[in-house]
Each structure stands twice: as structure tokens, then as C-alpha cells.
């Protein structure tokens, strides 16, 4: 097992050296004053090499971590690749997007120039081999990991170590499939401006199907019978975000035994359907009146995709020919439609939509949201009641222990002689501050309002609430009286301004 794991690291180092050789010898030729590039090649230079530097930097990082993991624990080597799964998919999808164009430019259009460069550098590999190295590398990983797993089973390896290698094998089997799909999709010609196959997500499914396109909307009462439909062979690519309809045009020159021969076919773009504008029907229904044969029955193999884009309204009727192909496409379309509906639910109602997506009952989520709002409201109330100007904030326990604030009717009944008591206190002379306040008519009015809310004097201990104490004037301003004054003012304003 140790030898098989070391083979992964050794081959990774060899691969990094090949990437570095291109990065140091070939890519800088464009800026070399001693090298004269053929006409127009400088403009196509970036197409040839694509994200080669990103591949080099990424695999240099992987190599360093592999060597470190190999010294610490053999079976943690798999975790290095598992952690880079998303990055590797992105790297190779981006590289393979321009792979076909790169081969055409370097191996066909400017073959003589690159052959001369190869001889000058005494390079043993031609441009086609260099450009194929990344593609071949991502396909070789699964073979190397398969050997490790075989040795690990003989050694009786179990637990997280074995699970890591099995997970890595799964990733490395999916990587070539994703890469091949992107390479094939990159052979679609005449794509609309702005459509890039690497920005459409993963290829969910692809295949050649019989397709008939009719004008919408989809209406079973007026749809033509299958016998009246004209079906043509079309290559369909179903991405995460879009369905591309293409026509098989021709095949390029393919060498015998070339494992990439299936990717040499060129496709002509015909139409597209965005996922957010797609409706799926598992069967094609039509009116018997549209059929020339009244005995016709519904074709169980046919299914439909409707483009609901404003101004489009096109119906795509698919004939998968056999039940196996139909099942594969129907499963993917149904799953994508469900994901789209879940996404719309989340947009319309983020709380309920998220709960459905996570498998939480909506009632529970709504209840918890209400409880949360109630808690926030209670905390606001407690915060208002516990706020005392000029004093430190009361503790939570002290605040919760305070009695409920009384209403205006309760205050009037509990303290009917408040105004008389205030007048008596004023006649007795009171404090110096009180004398100062009495000289101010405006403050006397406020004092009268305060006297009617004597129960809110916290320091006196006679009331049931908490007031705002103004030490200098000796006056207690009731929060409730202030708020009620503002409320009455707003009501009067609304009467004056009904609109």
C-alpha cells in the first residue's frame, strides 16, 4: 500500500514538472524579443494556454501537501484530493472549454512554428501531447487510487482511512466524466453571445434524441397527434442552468484507437431553454380530433419541455425511442423542476421555503418565528421600563421583579388626592429646587402632570412603575404620560389630514 500511495505522489511530481516546463519555456515566448511570432498568433496565445498557470499553482500546492501527509500518515493522502474536489473540477472544466480551439491553433494552423520551437528547445513531446497532458492526468487518478484500495483491502484497512480512499475514488471517477462532458460541449459552434458552457453548471445528462418543435402554448385539446409531428435527430445537453439543443454537423479526423474520438464531433447550436423558464410534462397529450386515426392512443414514450420565455412559447416534444433513455431523462428533468420550485418558494417566503428545503415543518418554523418576535417585543418593553436617566441600568432580575405599570384609570382611582398633596407640598416651601421650579410656569404645568402619576415615583416606593427622575428639578417624568401625549397629538394630526 505504501508503494501504491507513493506512486500517486511520484506521478504528481512528474505532472507538475511537465506543467512547469510549459510555463517556463513556451508561454513566455510571446514576450521574448528574440522570437518573432507568426501573424495573428499573439492574439490567440491566451486561447492556447488558457488557465495553464492556475493548473500549475494548484498542483504545486497539492504536491506539497501530499508529501507532508505521506510523512505523517499514509492514508491521509486521500484527504488532500478530497479537499480540492471543487477546485479541481473548476480548473479542468475551464481548461477543457478551449481545448478544441487550442489544438486547432497549435496543431493545425501554426504547426510549423511550434515544431520549430520544439526542436530548438530539444523537447521530446509535440504540442498535441502537451495539450493533452492535463486531460490524461485527470483520467489517470482513478487507476492509481484503485490500486491503493486493492492493496488496502489486502492489508485489512478499515475505518476513516478506507473511507477516505473510497471517497477519493468516487471523485476521480466523476472528474473525467465532467471533463469529457465539458470538452464535448465546447465543440458546439455558433453559440449565442454570452453563453459559455463552463458558466452553465454541470452537465446533468446528454444524448441524441428525436425532437419535434411546435408552437405553444402546450394545450392537450389542440396539440397535434404524434403522427403529424416531424421528428429530427438532435443532440441535447442538459446543464444545471440551461438546456442546449444542437444538431450534429460532422466529425473531425480521428486516429484509430483514439479514446477521445467521441469528442471530435462538432455540433451546431439551434436553441436554448433556461431552467427558470422551463416547464416539464412527463407525457405528450393531444386531442383525438387532431389524429387521422381515431384509434390512436397516447404515446407513452413521448415527453415535453415548454419554453415559457415571454415571446418564445415553444414546445419541445422528445421521442427517446426506448424506455431506458426515457427514464434517465425524465428523472433528471423531474428533479430539476423540483429544485426550481423549491428555489421559487424560498424567494417568495424565505422562512417557509427554507424550512421545506431543510425538512422542517412550516408550522414549527412559523411558531418559532412568532416566539422569537414575542421575545424581542418583551425585551424591548423591559428595556424601556428599566431605563432610568441619571442612574445606572437596573439588573434583569430587578427589572422583572417590578410591578406592572398602572393604567390612567387605575392611577386616578389609587391617588385621587394627588393634586392636593402636591399643592400642600408647594405651600410648605419644599426644597430650593422646588422653589426654582415654581417660578417657572411651564414647569408648574409639568409638575401638575407628575403629581397625578405619583405611583410612578420609583424612589418613593409608592408606585408600581419606573419613572425618569430629574434630580435638579425634583420632577419625575412619566414615560406613559409622554407617550400618551405623543399619541394624542398624532391622532389630532390625522384628523386634520385625513389623507
Amino acid at each position: 500500500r505504501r508503494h501504491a500511495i507513493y506512486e500517486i505522489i511520484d506521478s504528481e511530481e512528474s505532472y507538475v514538472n511537465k506543467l512547469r516546463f510549459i510555463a517556463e519555456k513556451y508561454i513566455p515566448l510571446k514576450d521574448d524579443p528574440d522570437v518573432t511570432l507568426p501573424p495573428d498568433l499573439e492574439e490567440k496565445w491566451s486561447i492556447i494556454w488558457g488557465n495553464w498557470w492556475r493548473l500549475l499553482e494548484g498542483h504545486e500546492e497539492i504536491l506539497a501537501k501530499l508529501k507532508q501527509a505521506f510523512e505523517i500518515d499514509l492514508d491521509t493522502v486521500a484527504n488532500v484530493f478530497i479537499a480540492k474536489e471543487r477546485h479541481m473540477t473548476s480548473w479542468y472544466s475551464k481548461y477543457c472549454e478551449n481545448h478544441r480551439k487550442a489544438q486547432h491553433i497549435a496543431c493545425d494552423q501554426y504547426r510549423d512554428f511550434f515544431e520549430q520551437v520544439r526542436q530548438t528547445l530539444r523537447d521530446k513531446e509535440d504540442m498535441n501531447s502537451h495539450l493533452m497532458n492535463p486531460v490524461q492526468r485527470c483520467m489517470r487518478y482513478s487507476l492509481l487510487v484503485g490500486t491503493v484500495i486493492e492493496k488496502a483491502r489486502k492489508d485489512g484497512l478499515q475505518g476513516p482511512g478506507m473511507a477516505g480512499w473510497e471517497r477519493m475514488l468516487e471523485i476521480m471517477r466523476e472528474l473525467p466524466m465532467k471533463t469529457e462532458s465539458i470538452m464535448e460541449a465546447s465543440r458546439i459552434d455558433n453559440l449565442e453571445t454570452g453563453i459559455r458552457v463552463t458558466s452553465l453548471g454541470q452537465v446533468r445528462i446528454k444524448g441524441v434524441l428525436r425532437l419535434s418543435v411546435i408552437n405553444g402554448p402546450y394545450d392537450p385539446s389542440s396539440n397535434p397527434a404524434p403522427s403529424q409531428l416531424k421528428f429530427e435527430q438532435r443532440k441535447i445537453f442538459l446543464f444545471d442552468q440551461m438546456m442546449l439543443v444542437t444538431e450534429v454537423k460532422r466529425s473531425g479526423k480521428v486516429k484509430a484507437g483514439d479514446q477521445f474520438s467521441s469528442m471530435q464531433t462538432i455540433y451546431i447550436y439551434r436553441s436554448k431553454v433556461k431552467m427558470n423558464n422551463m416547464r416539464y410534462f412527463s407525457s405528450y397529450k393531444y386531442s383525438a380530433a387532431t389524429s387521422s386515426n381515431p384509434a390512436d392512443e397516447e404515446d407513452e414514450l413521448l415527453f415535453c419541455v415548454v419554453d415559457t420565455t415571454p415571446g418564445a412559447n415553444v414546445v419541445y416534444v422528445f421521442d427517446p425511442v426506448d424506455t431506458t433513455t426515457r427514464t434517465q431523462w425524465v428523472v433528471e428533468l423531474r428533479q430539476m423542476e423540483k429544485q426550481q420550485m423549491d428555489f421559487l418558494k424560498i424567494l417568495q417566503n424565505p422562512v417557509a421555503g427554507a424550512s421545506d428545503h431543510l425538512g422542517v415543518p412550516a408550522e414549527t418554523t412559523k411558531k418559532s418565528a412568532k416566539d422569537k418576535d414575542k421575545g424581542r417585543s418583551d425585551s424591548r418593553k423591559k428595556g424601556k421600563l428599566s431605563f432610568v436617566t441619571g442612574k445606572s441600568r437596573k439588573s434583569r432580575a430587578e427589572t422583572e421583579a417590578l410591578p406592572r405599570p398602572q393604567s390612567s384609570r387605575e392611577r386616578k382611582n389609587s391617588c385621587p388626592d394627588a393634586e392636593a398633596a402636591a399643592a400642600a407640598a408647594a405651600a410648605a416651601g419644599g426644597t430650593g429646587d422646588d422653589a426654582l421650579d415654581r417660578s417657572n410656569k411651564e414647569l408648574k404645568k409639568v409638575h401638575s402632570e407628575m403629581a397625578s402619576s405619583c405611583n410612578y415615583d420609583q424612589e418613593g416606593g409608592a408606585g408600581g412603575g419606573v419613572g425618569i427622575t430629574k434630580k435638579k428639578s425634583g420632577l419625575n417624568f412619566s414615560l406613559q404620560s409622554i407617550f400618551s401625549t405623543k399619541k394624542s397629538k398624532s391622532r389630532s394630526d390625522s384628523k386634520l389630514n385625513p389623507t
Side-chain angles (χ1 to χ4, degrees):
R1 183 165 95 253
R2 182 183 184 87
H3 178 76
I5 296 174
Y6 180 78
E7 178 65 22
I8 294 178
I9 301 175
D10 184 61
S11 60
E12 185 74 11
E13 186 170 13
S14 177
Y15 175 53
V16 168
N17 290 333
K18 291 180 179 180
L19 294 176
R20 187 181 295 114
F21 177 79
I22 294 294
E24 294 177 352
K25 300 297 183 181
Y26 278 84
I27 297 180
L29 291 177
K30 183 174 72 71
D31 301 321
D32 192 338
D34 297 330
V35 177
T36 303
L37 298 182
D40 299 332
L41 180 57
E42 183 175 354
E43 299 176 358
K44 303 175 182 178
W45 201 253
S46 60
I47 298 177
I48 298 176
W49 307 114
N51 62 334
W52 196 278
W53 274 106
R54 188 67 190 92
L55 284 174
L56 174 59
E57 294 171 356
H59 281 278
E60 282 180 337
E61 180 184 354
I62 290 176
L63 179 61
K65 292 183 178 180
L66 288 177
K67 292 181 177 180
Q68 183 179 5
F70 186 79
E71 297 296 332
I72 299 174
D73 185 352
L74 290 175
D75 298 308
T76 60
V77 168
N79 297 333
V80 176
F81 289 98
I82 294 174
K84 289 292 184 180
E85 175 188 4
R86 182 175 59 85
H87 298 85
M88 293 182 68
T89 301
S90 175
W91 300 341
Y92 286 96
S93 296
K94 176 65 177 176
Y95 177 78
C96 292
E97 180 184 15
N98 291 327
H99 184 264
R100 172 190 146 216
K101 295 180 181 178
Q103 280 189 318
H104 176 68
I105 295 171
C107 304
D108 294 335
Q109 288 184 339
Y110 301 96
R111 180 178 181 179
D112 295 339
F113 169 78
F114 284 104
E115 178 63 22
Q116 183 179 358
V117 172
R118 185 188 71 82
Q119 295 177 2
T120 302
L121 297 175
R122 296 183 180 180
D123 186 7
K124 296 180 180 179
E125 297 185 3
D126 58 8
M127 281 298 298
N128 185 60
S129 299
H130 286 307
L131 295 175
M132 284 301 300
N133 272 333
V135 180
Q136 293 174 336
R137 178 58 182 172
C138 71
M139 293 185 175
R140 190 184 177 191
Y141 279 120
S142 60
L143 299 176
L144 297 171
V145 180
T147 303
V148 174
I149 291 179
E150 180 183 354
K151 303 297 182 182
R153 287 173 179 168
K154 292 182 179 180
D155 292 345
L157 180 65
Q158 297 178 352
M162 192 64 180
W165 288 114
E166 291 176 345
R167 173 57 184 154
M168 181 180 172
L169 179 61
E170 181 181 353
I171 292 172
M172 294 309 174
R173 283 177 175 173
E174 293 177 354
L175 182 61
M177 296 174 60
K178 295 176 181 178
T179 302
E180 180 183 356
S181 297
I182 293 296
M183 290 182 67
E184 186 175 8
S186 67
R187 297 183 180 277
I188 302 175
D189 286 344
N190 301 334
L191 275 173
E192 290 183 9
T193 304
I195 298 180
R196 295 184 58 185
V197 294
T198 53
S199 63
L200 302 180
Q202 300 298 326
V203 179
R204 306 286 291 262
I205 190 173
K206 60 182 180 178
V208 178
L209 302 175
R210 298 179 70 241
L211 174 66
S212 178
V213 182
I214 61 177
N215 294 328
Y218 178 81
D219 185 3
S221 63
S222 60
N223 286 337
S227 58
Q228 298 179 356
L229 299 178
K230 181 181 179 180
F231 288 93
E232 296 177 329
Q233 297 285 345
R234 291 289 183 265
K235 181 65 178 266
I236 312 298
F237 295 86
L238 188 62
F239 292 84
D240 289 329
Q241 302 177 18
M242 186 179 294
M243 182 183 76
L244 296 181
V245 179
T246 68
E247 179 183 357
V248 179
K249 185 64 176 178
R250 61 181 176 82
S251 297
K253 297 180 179 180
V254 182
K255 297 180 180 180
D258 187 356
Q259 58 178 327
F260 306 103
S261 59
S262 61
M263 295 182 284
Q264 301 303 312
T265 304
I266 296 177
Y267 307 100
I268 305 300
Y269 168 79
R270 292 304 180 197
S271 61
K272 71 177 187 300
V273 182
K274 294 182 179 179
M275 286 300 108
N276 56 346
N277 294 325
M278 175 185 292
R279 288 191 62 193
Y280 157 70
F281 294 91
S282 60
S283 61
Y284 177 72
K285 297 181 180 180
Y286 59 94
S287 173
T290 62
S291 175
S292 58
N293 184 5
D296 283 347
E297 297 181 357
E298 179 180 337
D299 193 329
E300 297 181 353
L301 289 178
L302 301 183
F303 61 91
C304 303
V305 168
V306 180
D307 184 3
T308 61
T309 304
N313 213 2
V314 179
V315 179
Y316 297 87
V317 184
F318 293 93
D319 181 7
V321 181
D322 57 73
T323 56
T324 302
T325 304
R326 170 188 162 81
T327 301
Q328 294 173 349
W329 282 84
V330 166
V331 168
E332 290 295 338
L333 287 168
R334 187 176 297 158
Q335 184 178 0
M336 295 179 71
E337 184 181 46
K338 183 179 182 303
Q339 291 175 354
Q340 188 67 24
M341 292 177 64
D342 293 343
F343 179 69
L344 292 176
K345 287 182 180 179
I346 293 176
L347 290 179
Q348 295 172 358
N349 190 344
V351 176
S355 64
D356 294 341
H357 182 69
L358 297 174
V360 180
E363 294 80 3
T364 305
T365 309
K366 292 179 180 179
K367 184 177 179 181
S368 61
K370 289 180 179 180
D371 294 342
K372 189 174 182 181
D373 293 339
K374 184 179 179 181
R376 290 176 179 173
S377 178
D378 293 342
S379 65
R380 292 193 188 102
K381 292 179 180 178
K382 293 177 181 178
K384 290 177 181 178
L385 293 174
S386 62
F387 178 77
V388 180
T389 304
K391 297 181 178 292
S392 61
R393 185 178 296 232
K394 298 296 181 181
S395 65
R396 183 176 181 181
E398 292 174 347
T399 303
E400 293 178 350
L402 291 174
R404 176 185 61 82
Q406 293 179 324
S407 64
S408 59
R409 180 176 297 178
E410 291 173 339
R411 293 200 304 273
K412 185 176 180 180
N413 295 334
S414 62
C415 191
D417 299 330
E419 294 182 3
T431 64
D433 290 337
D434 292 334
L436 179 63
D437 293 336
R438 284 195 301 273
S439 65
N440 191 322
K441 293 181 180 181
E442 190 68 25
L443 290 179
K444 281 184 178 181
K445 183 178 179 180
V446 177
H447 182 79
S448 176
E449 292 180 0
M450 189 276 147
S452 65
S453 58
C454 59
N455 288 329
Y456 275 75
D457 189 354
Q458 182 185 359
E459 294 178 324
V466 180
I468 299 180
T469 303
K470 190 173 182 180
K471 289 185 176 180
K472 186 173 182 180
S473 63
L475 300 179
N476 292 332
F477 293 85
S478 170
L479 285 172
Q480 187 167 348
S481 65
I482 295 174
F483 293 149
S484 62
T485 303
K486 291 182 178 180
K487 186 175 182 181
S488 62
K489 183 178 180 181
S490 63
R491 287 180 178 176
S492 63
D493 293 342
S494 63
K495 291 180 179 179
L496 293 174
N497 303 296
T499 56

